[in-house]
Amino acid sequence: MAGRPIVPRVRGWCPGAWRPMATGDGLLVRVRPRLGRLTRAQMLALCDAAETWGSGLVELTRRGNLQLRGVSEAEWPALMACLVEWELVAADAEVERQPALLVTPDWQPGDVTHDAARRLQEWFEGRHGVPRDAWPRLPAKWGLAIDAGPAPVLTEASADLRLERAADGRLLVRADGRSLGTPVDSVEAAIELLRRLAHWFVENGGTGRMHRLTVPLPAWAPATMAPAGLSESTASLALGEHPRGRVVGLPFGRASASTLRAALAPENITGVRATPWRRLLIEGEGGNPDDAEAVPGLIHDERDPRLAMDACPGAPHCERASVATRELAQAIAERRGARDAERVHVSGCAKGCARGRSADICLTGRDGRFDLILGGCADDAPVATGLSEAEVLAALKKEKK
Ligand code: SF4
């Protein structure tokens, strides 16, 4: 096991398990579930690790990763040994430097999504003698969305290249930021095109994300076809019963290890699929649905107002925050009652990590108080500044009238 981590404190850093990030309450250690799935035993091991070395909480990110907070630098090696033993993290730190794979959560063994994601994963892991360096070194935030069901469901999730279905049922490779993609006839052809486009991105000076690269696509990747229409019914996996088990929501993207352990208690449960929607698909067919439904600390009802809210960790968890965020978000949720169509974002600072897009109501922490932004992002101009929590709640009450 390597020694202590080199802990960066720079903007734009994309942490992992081998390259954890220093935050206000210790190291943040991010786990990328292989093909977006953990076995029941792996998830239970992660819960144990969260309690042994972290804050006891497990977070689910908007890119379908799981992360632990509050890890000390001294204990990070022991945590890593555990994560490697459970195959939650690759022993080779180089694997973590490969592009992240975001996989449609309800893939089935042997379907096209699973086949493509498995091949790419094996490539990135250097398995079976596959030359890993055939892919270029890409920016740390880079990722691929493997979304080859009947219609794409990961359109809103962060990715730089996407494998989707075209309206005519063919596979489609699409560069993020472009409305059209290139149809291909096989998984092999799709993977080769993804690889070539990754090289093209680097060769054309791409240093950030694909959507920011405005150079026209190369002639060998003609963007001629649109993806099939977004499937509204599956875009975020409805809470409750699912053909593969049960979908539950995590309030503001986090749950305690003990809550997750309780959700995994029924013996029919076989694993967990991570999603980019702050929802977990708990696999386990044939069990008693009431078992999971009874677990407090998770969201089971689509009317829950927290589903329309985003809140970053805030203080004391992030050193850039001067305000606690989730307590205020919870207080707002309790006053809102049944799910409101308005989107609320509570951000510890103007960076706005929890939500990149605008929200109907955005509260941004600054110098221990909140700025109120209507219809904007965390760094947009506020309509009111320097509000206490009580003043925020009063202002939102007025807004509703
Ligand atoms: S938005 Fe929240 S999590 Fe992100 S840097 Fe600011 S306080 Fe930290």
Side-chain angles (χ1 to χ4, degrees):
M1 178 62 53
R4 292 186 186 184
I6 299 167
V7 178
R9 293 169 188 271
V10 293
R11 292 194 76 174
W13 180 258
C14 192
W18 287 110
R19 301 198 305 163
M21 184 170 74
T23 67
D25 58 354
L27 298 180
L28 182 155
V29 176
R30 185 172 292 164
V31 170
R32 292 179 182 178
R34 198 169 186 275
L35 306 191
R37 181 180 188 270
L38 292 84
T39 65
R40 180 173 183 267
Q42 283 177 314
M43 191 70 200
L44 290 172
L46 189 68
C47 290
D48 290 346
E51 288 177 337
T52 304
W53 294 291
S55 64
L57 294 170
V58 177
E59 295 182 341
L60 175 62
T61 75
R62 288 223 171 266
R63 300 186 77 177
N65 296 317
L66 294 161
Q67 60 193 28
L68 309 185
R69 287 182 177 274
V71 178
S72 74
E73 292 193 30
E75 294 195 313
W76 174 81
L79 168 63
M80 289 302 293
C82 171
L83 297 178
V84 169
E85 183 185 338
W86 281 98
E87 298 184 358
L88 288 161
V89 170
D92 178 357
E94 193 58 28
V95 173
E96 196 176 85
R97 297 182 69 94
Q98 304 297 318
L101 283 183
L102 180 60
V103 185
T104 309
D106 59 355
W107 57 263
Q108 308 232 25
D111 70 12
V112 170
T113 294
H114 177 242
D115 185 27
R118 181 185 54 77
R119 291 183 198 214
L120 283 163
Q121 184 74 41
E122 289 180 354
W123 195 326
F124 296 154
E125 290 172 355
R127 293 193 186 205
H128 314 310
V130 181
R132 189 161 60 194
D133 60 5
W135 281 75
R137 178 56 59 92
L138 292 156
K141 287 182 184 289
W142 241 68
L144 311 179
I146 309 303
D147 190 13
V153 297
L154 300 177
T155 312
E156 298 292 317
S158 173
D160 295 273
L161 291 173
R162 300 173 186 278
L163 176 59
E164 300 168 326
R165 289 274 175 195
D168 68 357
R170 295 166 75 191
L171 289 173
L172 191 77
V173 171
R174 185 164 65 90
D176 194 48
R178 280 81 173 173
S179 57
L180 304 179
T182 306
V184 291
D185 291 323
S186 66
V187 170
E188 290 82 2
I191 290 176
E192 178 58 13
L193 188 52
L194 290 168
R195 189 187 70 81
R196 287 186 74 187
L197 282 168
H199 277 285
W200 171 83
F201 172 82
V202 173
E203 287 158 8
N204 282 275
T207 53
R209 304 302 302 271
M210 177 64 92
H211 68 268
R212 294 204 199 109
L213 184 65
T214 53
V215 178
L217 287 166
W220 44 261
T224 57
M225 208 170 276
L230 181 69
S231 172
E232 294 290 347
S233 61
T234 57
S236 61
L237 287 185
L239 296 179
E241 284 187 62
H242 181 276
R244 304 186 69 78
R246 170 162 287 271
V247 179
V248 296
L250 272 60
F252 311 121
R254 59 167 26 182
S256 69
S258 57
T259 293
L260 292 171
R261 204 179 282 115
L264 297 175
E267 295 208 337
N268 66 307
I269 287 171
T270 54
V272 171
R273 305 270 182 104
T275 81
W277 308 302
R278 300 204 163 139
R279 298 170 185 225
L280 292 173
L281 168 54
I282 299 178
E283 295 176 355
E285 294 163 69
N288 178 0
D290 293 339
D291 290 341
E293 208 165 3
V295 176
L298 298 174
I299 301 175
H300 306 281
D301 186 343
E302 288 288 350
R303 295 168 300 172
D304 193 303
R306 293 170 294 181
L307 293 171
M309 298 176 68
D310 300 286
C312 78
H317 309 292
C318 176
E319 60 189 6
R320 294 185 56 165
S322 61
V323 292
T325 50
R326 284 167 174 159
E327 291 76 1
L328 176 59
Q330 183 65 37
I332 294 171
E334 284 162 13
R335 281 160 178 76
R336 285 158 68 86
R339 186 173 177 178
D340 195 309
E342 282 183 329
R343 194 90 210 175
V344 178
H345 178 192
V346 184
S347 184
C349 77
K351 192 176 173 199
C353 295
R355 184 175 175 82
R357 289 171 293 139
S358 70
D360 299 299
I361 296 164
C362 181
L363 295 154
T364 302
R366 187 172 52 83
D367 300 332
R369 298 176 85 86
F370 289 92
D371 291 346
L372 171 63
I373 296 140
L374 296 177
C377 297
D379 59 353
D380 281 338
V383 296
T385 58
L387 304 176
S388 67
E389 282 196 22
E391 288 167 338
V392 165
L393 294 170
L396 295 188
K397 210 169 166 185
K398 278 192 219 148
E399 272 304 312
K400 295 292 289 180
K401 285 181 183 169

